[in-house]
Amino acid sequence: MVALALKQAAETTVTGQQIDLENVSHQFELKGAPLPVLDNVSFSVEPGSFVSLIGPSGCGKSTLLRLLAGLDHPTDGTVKVDGESVGDPDPSRILVFQDPTLFPWRTVWDNVALGLEAQGILRSARHRVDNAVQLVGLSGFEKAYPHQLSGGMAQRVALARALVNEPRLLLLDEPLGKLDSLTRLTMQGEIVKLWQEAGLTALLVTHDVEEALFLTQRVLVFGPRPARIVADIAVDLPYPRHRGDPKLAELRREALGHLGLAATW
C-alpha cells in the first residue's frame, strides 16, 4: 500500500515516521478504581502511510492517539516512533482535535504561527506560516479573525497550525466531526491532498466508516472497551477515489460486519 502511495505521489519525498505498538494496554483511575481502555494492542504503520482507526465510541481510539503524541504513557507495553520509545510531546508529532480551538483574539496568520512562536523560531521561519496558510487554501484570509470564518475554514486553520511545524506524524482525532456534510466532503479531499503533498504519516480517528475507507489506505477496527483490534482492512484502491466505487461498498459491508452492524447494510 505504501508503494501505491509513492507511485501516485512520485515527486513527494516521504518524511513520515514509522510507528510500532507492542502489547500496549492502558487504564485510567475512575473514582479510585481502574478503568481499562486498551487491551494488548499491537500494530505497525510504515512511513508515509495513511491509516484510520474506527470502533465504538469510548473504546480507546483517542487515547491511542494521545499515547503516540506523548500526552499520556501506556500502563503496559511499548509505543515507538522511528524505533524510539515515545516520551514527551514533540513538534514532529502533532495531534489535531475535533474542535479547532483557535484563539479568538489572534488572526489566522497569528494562530498558525503559534507553534513557531512558542519554539522561539518565528522570526527566522515566517515563510513556513505563509506556506502553511497557502497549503490549506486560506491565502487572502491571513488577517481574518476566527469569528469571521466558517467551520471548514476554522478547521483549515487548525490543520495549517499543525503543518507549520513540519510534522512527520499527523494524528487526527475526529477533525471533521462537527462540520456540515457538504463541508465535510470537501475537507476530506483536502486532507488527502495535504497528506500526499507532505509525505508524512497520518492516523485518523473517525466514527464514519465511509470516511475511513474513502481517505485511508488501511482501516484498523477496534472492539468495545477495553479495545482490541478485531480487524485490519486494506483499502487497496488508487487516489482519487470515487464514492460510488463498488469496492468501497464491499469494504463498508465488511467493516460494519466487524462492528456488529452488518444488518444495517
Side-chain angles (χ1 to χ4, degrees), residues 2-108:
V2 172
L4 177 60
L6 293 176
K7 181 178 180 181
Q8 293 166 341
E11 297 180 359
T12 299
T13 300
V14 173
T15 61
Q17 294 174 321
Q18 169 81 24
I19 296 172
D20 295 289
L21 274 72
E22 300 175 4
N23 306 315
V24 170
S25 295
H26 194 63
Q27 65 181 30
F28 298 109
E29 292 294 324
L30 182 63
K31 296 183 179 180
L35 177 66
V37 179
L38 297 171
D39 182 20
N40 198 36
V41 174
S42 298
F43 67 89
S44 295
V45 175
E46 297 179 45
S49 297
F50 196 175
V51 176
S52 55
L53 316 178
I54 64 173
S57 180
C59 74
K61 303 181 299 297
S62 296
T63 296
L64 195 150
L65 293 192
R66 291 180 62 86
L67 297 179
L68 283 165
L71 298 175
D72 290 316
H73 302 289
T75 305
D76 293 298
T78 58
V79 178
K80 294 183 178 180
V81 172
D82 281 348
E84 300 290 335
S85 294
V86 173
D88 295 328
D90 186 272
S92 68
R93 307 185 308 272
I94 298 294
L95 179 55
V96 178
F97 297 98
Q98 184 181 79
D99 191 332
T101 60
L102 305 179
F103 290 107
W105 60 87
R106 297 177 71 109
T107 65
V108 165

Side-chain angles (χ1 to χ4, degrees), residues 136 146 235:
V136 299
V235 189

Side-chain angles (χ1 to χ4, degrees), residues 100 102-104 106-109 111-112 138 140-158:
L102 305 179
F103 290 107
R106 297 177 71 109
T107 65
V108 165
W109 197 96
N111 267 287
V112 174
L138 286 178
F141 289 89
E142 291 87 348
K143 296 182 180 180
Y145 287 89
H147 74 273
Q148 298 172 311
L149 306 176
S150 67
M153 293 171 74
Q155 196 56 267
R156 282 188 171 92
V157 177

Side-chain angles (χ1 to χ4, degrees), residues 54 209 213 221 233 251-265:
I54 64 173
V209 172
L213 295 169
V221 184
I233 302 174
L251 291 173
R252 185 172 186 265
R253 186 180 301 110
E254 178 184 349
L256 289 173
H258 290 299
L259 293 169
L261 299 170
T264 67
W265 184 251

Side-chain angles (χ1 to χ4, degrees), residues 125-259:
R126 294 179 63 87
H127 65 282
R128 284 165 57 177
V129 180
D130 296 329
N131 291 342
V133 170
Q134 181 179 7
L135 189 61
V136 299
L138 286 178
S139 296
F141 289 89
E142 291 87 348
K143 296 182 180 180
Y145 287 89
H147 74 273
Q148 298 172 311
L149 306 176
S150 67
M153 293 171 74
Q155 196 56 267
R156 282 188 171 92
V157 177
L159 287 170
R161 186 174 57 190
L163 295 170
V164 77
N165 293 291
E166 298 181 349
R168 299 180 57 208
L169 175 59
L170 186 61
L171 305 166
L172 302 163
D173 191 3
E174 282 279 344
L176 310 181
K178 292 185 177 180
L179 301 181
D180 66 86
S181 58
L182 293 179
T183 302
R184 185 166 186 155
L185 294 179
T186 300
M187 286 298 298
Q188 287 174 356
E190 293 294 329
I191 287 176
V192 169
K193 181 181 177 182
L194 292 172
W195 161 67
Q196 290 177 320
E197 291 181 354
L200 45 73
T201 303
L203 262 68
L204 168 72
V205 164
T206 179
H207 288 99
D208 188 327
V209 172
E210 183 176 287
E211 181 172 86
L213 295 169
F214 186 73
L215 294 184
T216 67
Q217 302 168 305
R218 179 181 169 201
V219 179
L220 299 179
V221 184
F222 286 80
R225 186 181 69 243
R228 288 189 174 188
I229 296 175
V230 298
D232 187 343
I233 302 174
V235 189
D236 193 15
L237 292 171
Y239 296 93
R241 292 174 179 170
H242 302 282
R243 299 177 194 277
D245 192 320
K247 179 64 175 179
L248 284 180
E250 178 184 330
L251 291 173
R252 185 172 186 265
R253 186 180 301 110
E254 178 184 349
L256 289 173
H258 290 299
L259 293 169

